[in-house]
Amino acid sequence: MPILLYDPSSRRAWLVSTLSVILHLAHIYAHIFPSRVTLDNKRIPLPYAEPSSDGGAAALNTILKNHSLVIYQSEITKQTRTFLDLIREIYFSLMLVVDKDSARPPAAKTGMRRRAFLSGWELKAIVETPQFPQDKECPLLPSSGGWFEVSSSVLVLFCDGLGEVIRPCESGRRNFLCERWRGV
């Protein structure tokens, strides 16, 4: 299931894999709750996916390679928490949002009055307050292309300051999508 990530501040959107979003949410979680990814008073760095033309496969590979990484141990019970435990927790939180999104009446996402708005959910809230995700709307410019049409069939998540979510390969060979492509 692809997810539409939308950056309201830059008014840009990307269609990305669910596993890529889950891995990104794990990093957001570690940033918001650093004490929950700490072992022996040292912060545990979470793994990143390798750049790839298939972000979902790269995220899956990263999760599988690091599934047993211990990211936390209770000082009292000595019970440990692994990277896979965190990924599962985030997955279930994301599925709560998917359920809430699919329970919305179709007109709430695609009504003619709504055509000038993108309707979705705040990305960070999925890890901050998983039981109470925040729904959100952002105005779309007339030049926004087909994102409104795409948004009616996928989950939309809002996140400010995403940067370059997808970039062409820069491995030294001319493998760009467009000869004139460059970051702005």
Side-chain angles (χ1 to χ4, degrees), residues 22 24-30 32-33 36 86 89-90 93 122-130:
I22 289 172
H24 183 70
L25 282 165
H27 285 273
I28 291 172
Y29 179 91
I32 294 171
F33 305 110
R36 296 183 193 171
L86 175 61
E89 181 182 309
I90 291 169
S93 296
E122 185 61 46
L123 179 75
K124 195 165 68 166
I126 293 170
V127 294
E128 282 182 325
T129 55

Side-chain angles (χ1 to χ4, degrees), residues 139-150:
L140 285 175
L141 297 175
S143 61
S144 293
W147 289 122
F148 175 79
E149 286 77 15
V150 172

Side-chain angles (χ1 to χ4, degrees), residues 1-8 12-18 20-22 24-25 28 90 93-95 97-98 101 104 109 118-126 133-136 138 151 154-160 162:
M1 167 181 82
I3 293 176
L4 183 82
L5 291 180
Y6 186 76
D7 184 339
R12 295 179 2 168
W14 297 268
L15 200 56
V16 297
S17 73
T18 301
S20 296
V21 171
I22 289 172
H24 183 70
L25 282 165
I28 291 172
I90 291 169
S93 296
L94 184 60
M95 291 304 105
V97 174
V98 169
D101 194 63
R104 286 183 186 186
K109 284 184 90 171
L118 201 55
S119 180
W121 306 86
E122 185 61 46
L123 179 75
K124 195 165 68 166
I126 293 170
Q134 300 169 350
D135 57 338
K136 185 174 181 176
C138 284
S151 74
V154 298
L155 180 66
V156 177
L157 299 175
F158 297 102
C159 183
D160 278 311
L162 281 170

